[in-house]
Amino acid sequence: MAEKNRNFKKRIAVTGGAGFIGSNLLLMMVPRYPDYLFVNIDCLTYAANLSNLSEIDSAENYEFEKIDITDYAGLEQCFNKYNFDSVIHLAAESHVDRSLIGPALFIQTNVMGTFNLLELARKSAVSNSDFRFLHVSTDEVYGSIETGSRADENYPVNPSSPYAASKAAADQMVRSYHKSYGLNTVITNCTNNYGAFQFPEKLIPLLINNIINGKTMPVYGDGRNIRDWLYVEDHCRALDLVFHNGVAGSVYNIGSGSETENIILIKKICAILEKKTGAGPFDKLIEFVKDRPGHDRRYALDSSKIKNELGWEPSLSLDEGLELTVDWYLSQSDWLKKCTSGEYVNYYEKVYGDRK
Ligand code: NAD
Ligand code: DAU
């Protein structure tokens, strides 16, 4: 701990660092910025896995604090302990289907948790007017986007699920803290991520896990909903750029432009797994099931602002990213087994049991 008190150039609270995107972000940023201190604040829900971070957990510029962001007093103690100058806020309940079953937790964590962090940032900004607050959000706040158009940062907010509404509410709180208190905020709204460490409730790892285990692949509705898939490391590079160079009070959309119908994506994953395992064909496992209520038809972002202002570009095509992702899951059977035992079995039954 003595080492952690040394004079770091930045002292950053990273919330939700044990989740999917948080783990990828910390694994990228901790070694890249040895003169910054990163404190991972996470209460370790079902979606978290500290073993994701084994490569950095003994790094001199990394600390972990098990705190629930809805616990204001716990957070305040942590802010006092580390004297943060920035927050990168990723902690959230992140899965749409869970928000349909139990919206209350989404309001608690995503709205009230964000409010707590904003309050502590506002207090910290009294003595440090540069205090930076990066709020990591989603393209789901815009709702379904009509064919032929793309949502830019001024597109109307029109969320469909309790998850999306809770993120939209948090985004608006962040905006208000910039306008009312001059807090140095930046917001990012990103499309669907995929890659290593994603919990197998989300479409891509769920499909891979089901194929590996010979289970059917549940496709909601007609399978023609469109998502714009972005490899998680490309998202993390964008967050790094926005954190450092984004203009205070700004919003940045982050998308890959590789819009794909779910059924096309599913067939791509089947083909990659057939090639890698020599087994299959796997598309016989496709099973069309009852649609998700309020299911947004299409997500599509206009990301020209981050490209033009900050020079960001996605580095991988969807096909390249999917190959890497399938390889990762094939090599991580223990990780997958740990996620899919226990609570997951009940979750799966609850969400998919009456969909057939
Ligand atoms: P995730 O569900 O994999 O991880 C969320 C993390 O937050 C977990 O480690 C969990 O333990 C932690 N957490 C949850 N509630 C908490 C609480 N009350 N206190 C402290 N920690 C808590 O989520 P993810 O996919 O990594 O998403 C991270 C962020 O990025 C979220 O804010 C999400 O809305 C946003 N986002 C995700 C995607 C995507 O495709 N996954 C796309 C755009 C934006
Ligand atoms: O767009 C960004 C959002 O992407 C993030 O904010 C969310 O945190 C993240 O969960 C993700 O939301 P989606 O609802 O788009 O992702 P999901 O993986 O749940 O679903 C992707 C698509 O696949 C969607 O059209 C629903 C469909 N689907 C999903 C599951 C889990 C199925 O057809 N079958 C399934 O079993």
Side-chain angles (χ1 to χ4, degrees), residues 317-336:
S317 67
L318 178 59
D319 289 339
E320 290 166 331
L322 284 177
E323 286 255 354
L324 289 180
T325 304
V326 169
D327 282 341
W328 189 85
Y329 281 96
L330 286 177
S331 70
Q332 298 292 328
S333 52
D334 286 350
W335 189 94
L336 261 181

Side-chain angles (χ1 to χ4, degrees), residues 145-180:
I145 311 292
E146 274 177 28
T147 311
S149 66
R150 284 167 177 264
D152 67 11
E153 289 77 2
N154 298 313
Y155 202 84
V157 170
N158 186 21
S160 302
S161 69
Y163 161 69
S166 69
K167 293 296 291 186
D171 293 9
Q172 302 297 40
M173 286 301 300
V174 176
R175 280 190 176 91
S176 78
Y177 271 60
H178 175 71
K179 289 186 192 162
S180 303

Side-chain angles (χ1 to χ4, degrees), residues 19-21 42-43 45 48 68-69 90 92 94 137 163 167 191 193:
F20 161 51
I21 299 171
D42 198 304
C43 72
T45 68
D68 190 320
I69 59 166
L90 297 119
S94 69
S137 189
Y163 161 69
K167 293 296 291 186
T191 56
N193 283 217

